[in-house]
Amino acid sequence: MSADTPGFEHLLRLSDDTGLFEHARHAVVRREHGYCTDDVARGLVVACREPRPGRRLTRLAECYLAFLTHAQDRSGAFRNRLTFGRRWVEPPGVGDWWGRAMWGLGTAAARTGIPWIRDEALHTFVRGADQRSPHPRAMAFAGLGAAEVLRTTPDSTVAASLLMDAVAAIGTPSEQPTWPWPQPQLTYANAALAEVIIAAGELSDDRQLLTTGLRMLTWLSDIQTHDGLLAVVPATGWRQDAPRARYDQQPIEVAALADACATAACVTGDDVWHERVRRSVAWFEGANDAHVPMRDPATGGGYDGLTEHGPNLNQGAESTIALISTMQHARRL
């Protein structure tokens, strides 16, 4: 899948020479909402995952990397929101956008075949690794970037320290068999927490940690599968011992689950994880609670959410990148 194929068509539509626009009305960019580091970082992840990027996709990776280096301050924190007029509207911080920036930078440093992108991404990653976030998910996203770096640079003490601090921030799962999770509520990008623990267990050769992460992911996958179909926890979340809503299901949940299951497949060699990746792929193709496709074949965009009335037809950056990411795994299968 190069940038000259439909897989990246809508991502190209959402991007300009500054970065990646956050929102769209249907497939039309909403420039008034500007750009955010969160989504630019996600874009860098999928761009750098491509083994044979075309010219336009390489240009996207360059643009996204430049955006992130501009967003970072001297302390290693990142600004998040940039207006269409190129004005930052928030101070630097270490929220989710810091974590995702670290994930994108770690992926670029580990996977791109272009030396200057790899070197600049690693330099920016190392500066960002001076920071820590009080938010477990921000730490989890940063931990995924650290794991990418460690797979190609095993002696990176900076990445190893960040990864283990991410594990500590996520916390220890409950011993309850009905809720083997570190927090009493599932919110968003839930599978990323399990993926970090799996990656840390593998990379540190800690069998107990690996087993813990796989147990978390098995449970999360099982409770989000009904009658063979994937039905992810909706945007409202789900608290232990409370009723669970059916909608609004978000593509980010599907993509996070596909990422984590693909990592589990690589680590264990167990085909059951490949089958769980396929469920995420099938969700976008219509094997979901509403039995509707969650992608627009005319534009290449991903729909923003699955509601009880069908898909939310807006095709923003987050949902489109979730689609691309999941289909990257599909191609590898």
Side-chain angles (χ1 to χ4, degrees):
M1 185 192 297
S2 76
D4 299 317
T5 66
F8 283 89
E9 187 176 289
H10 192 52
L11 194 64
L12 287 160
R13 186 179 293 114
L14 292 173
S15 302
D16 65 4
D17 61 358
T18 296
L20 173 61
F21 290 104
E22 184 175 5
H23 293 296
R25 181 183 292 113
H26 291 194
V28 178
V29 170
R30 299 192 68 179
R31 290 184 171 87
E32 68 271 26
H33 293 288
Y35 320 83
C36 69
T37 293
D38 247 339
D39 287 334
V40 171
R42 295 184 232 251
L44 187 60
V45 169
V46 294
C48 291
R49 280 179 174 177
E50 280 299 304
R52 294 178 299 278
R55 178 184 57 80
R56 290 191 296 169
L57 187 53
T58 297
R59 182 68 190 96
L60 276 191
E62 294 171 350
C63 175
Y64 296 162
L65 176 59
F67 185 102
L68 295 182
T69 60
H70 180 51
Q72 190 180 50
D73 75 353
R74 291 181 179 180
S75 75
F78 289 85
R79 300 172 182 86
N80 188 29
R81 297 196 176 278
L82 184 72
T83 68
F84 183 49
R86 298 187 180 181
R87 293 189 306 275
W88 294 106
V89 296
E90 297 169 342
V94 289
D96 281 2
W97 60 92
W98 166 81
R100 287 203 175 94
M102 295 296 288
W103 184 8
L105 293 165
T107 303
R111 300 208 191 192
T112 184
I114 300 172
W116 78 263
I117 291 181
R118 187 168 59 243
D119 293 345
E120 182 62 26
L122 183 59
H123 172 80
T124 312
F125 173 89
V126 169
R127 175 184 282 180
D130 284 340
Q131 292 282 353
R132 295 293 184 270
S133 174
H135 308 294
R137 274 171 177 73
M139 288 297 293
F141 301 142
L144 292 174
E148 290 279 6
V149 171
L150 285 168
R151 291 186 182 110
T152 56
T153 314
D155 61 348
S156 173
T157 56
V158 169
S161 175
L162 179 57
L163 178 57
M164 297 316 295
D165 284 352
V167 170
I170 290 167
T172 303
S174 164
E175 293 296 326
Q176 299 179 43
T178 58
W179 195 272
W181 201 252
Q183 291 97 33
Q185 184 174 9
L186 296 172
T187 54
Y188 60 95
N190 296 298
L193 277 63
E195 185 181 2
V196 167
I197 295 175
I198 292 168
E202 175 208 8
L203 292 165
S204 66
D205 200 25
D206 185 328
R207 191 70 191 177
Q208 183 176 356
L209 200 58
L210 175 59
T211 300
T212 296
L214 291 170
R215 181 167 63 94
M216 287 172 59
L217 185 58
T218 298
W219 174 78
L220 185 65
S221 179
D222 287 347
I223 59 117
Q224 295 187 116
T225 303
H226 298 285
D227 298 326
L229 300 180
L230 186 61
V232 293
V233 171
T236 52
W238 181 34
R239 182 169 289 278
Q240 186 178 9
D241 299 325
R244 175 176 159 186
R246 189 173 182 181
Y247 303 101
D248 182 23
Q249 295 180 34
Q250 301 290 297
I252 185 179
E253 295 307 312
V254 181
L257 191 61
D259 277 354
C261 290
T263 294
C266 289
V267 170
T268 66
D270 191 338
D271 284 343
V272 70
W273 297 110
H274 289 141
E275 181 55 38
R276 290 174 177 180
V277 173
R278 291 187 182 98
R279 285 180 194 161
S280 293
V281 174
W283 185 90
F284 282 101
E285 302 290 359
N288 51 53
D289 278 351
H291 304 287
V292 293
M294 288 298 296
R295 58 189 300 186
D296 185 341
T299 66
Y303 294 133
D304 278 0
L306 182 65
T307 76
E308 60 182 320
H309 306 294
N312 174 338
L313 296 177
N314 293 329
Q315 299 166 36
E318 179 184 290
S319 54
T320 295
I321 293 167
L323 169 65
I324 293 170
S325 173
T326 305
M327 294 307 163
Q328 286 178 321
H329 294 307
R331 188 187 61 206
R332 293 186 190 102
L333 291 175

